[in-house]
Amino acid sequence: MFLLDVLAGWPGSVHDSRVLRNSGLYENAANKFPGDSYLLGDGGYPLLRWLITPLKNNGYLTPREKRFNTALSSLRQIVERAISLLKGRWRKLKYLDHLDLELAVQIIMAACVLHNFCLLHDDFDNYFLPDDEDDNQQDDDDNNNHEINDGAAVQK
């Protein structure tokens, strides 16, 4: 999966929806997602015309609604795999100097560009996938209402 829009530099403690609202992606979404193009998000994001999120599960979902959430979750796993591949290939991302934010952002952005370059040139190996599954841990918001992990991405 190619990374089409990357935003780095926000602290991990900032809520996903706030980061999204302050992004260029949010400002230009109408142009980036015309017609039947959508971005997939987890329950931490708002439901928008161009952003599909899971239905809240308060114990009353119909079988059809549960299937929708399951299908959305399956698609989100593709995103998680892309992020795992990125972190596995560029292991420096796990050990960035948190005191030098500007350098950390540059390293993250460079790793994303190189990730896409490698995919363009068919340089893929499962060896790069990390053994640990840090990205699959769900936050409190997901545990309460949703079946999807954090993040949003687009598959082309």
Side-chain angles (χ1 to χ4, degrees), residues 60-115:
Y60 299 101
L61 291 181
T62 66
R64 183 176 182 198
E65 291 168 331
K66 288 178 182 178
R67 283 193 308 275
F68 171 82
N69 279 358
T70 300
L72 191 60
S73 177
S74 295
L75 292 171
R76 286 276 312 118
Q77 289 176 12
I78 296 169
V79 175
E80 295 301 328
R81 183 174 170 83
I83 293 169
S84 292
L85 177 61
L86 176 74
K87 289 180 178 180
R89 184 185 299 268
W90 313 110
R91 295 189 188 263
K92 173 68 176 172
L93 295 175
K94 290 187 177 190
Y95 308 104
L96 292 178
D97 180 3
H98 299 291
L99 299 178
D100 191 344
L101 181 61
E102 186 176 323
L103 178 61
V105 169
Q106 290 175 351
I107 291 171
I108 291 167
M109 298 304 283
C112 292
V113 169
L114 291 171
H115 168 84

Side-chain angles (χ1 to χ4, degrees), residues 17-143:
S17 62
R18 181 174 180 204
V19 174
L20 175 65
R21 282 192 316 270
N22 289 284
S23 71
L25 176 70
Y26 189 84
E27 294 172 11
N28 299 306
N31 298 329
K32 291 190 178 225
F33 304 102
D36 290 337
S37 298
Y38 302 97
L39 188 69
L40 303 181
D42 71 5
Y45 293 99
L47 177 63
L48 302 169
R49 187 212 54 82
W50 50 270
L51 178 60
I52 298 177
T53 60
L55 300 165
K56 290 190 178 188
N57 187 354
N58 296 322
Y60 299 101
L61 291 181
T62 66
R64 183 176 182 198
E65 291 168 331
K66 288 178 182 178
R67 283 193 308 275
F68 171 82
N69 279 358
T70 300
L72 191 60
S73 177
S74 295
L75 292 171
R76 286 276 312 118
Q77 289 176 12
I78 296 169
V79 175
E80 295 301 328
R81 183 174 170 83
I83 293 169
S84 292
L85 177 61
L86 176 74
K87 289 180 178 180
R89 184 185 299 268
W90 313 110
R91 295 189 188 263
K92 173 68 176 172
L93 295 175
K94 290 187 177 190
Y95 308 104
L96 292 178
D97 180 3
H98 299 291
L99 299 178
D100 191 344
L101 181 61
E102 186 176 323
L103 178 61
V105 169
Q106 290 175 351
I107 291 171
I108 291 167
M109 298 304 283
C112 292
V113 169
L114 291 171
H115 168 84
N116 285 350
F117 182 84
C118 291
L119 291 178
L120 279 172
H121 296 281
D122 294 324
D123 182 20
F124 176 82
D125 190 336
N126 282 329
Y127 168 78
F128 294 117
L129 291 173
D131 294 331
D132 57 332
E133 296 295 327
D134 294 337
D135 292 331
N136 291 329
Q137 293 178 353
Q138 294 179 332
D139 63 16
D140 290 335
D141 187 44
D142 285 342
N143 289 334

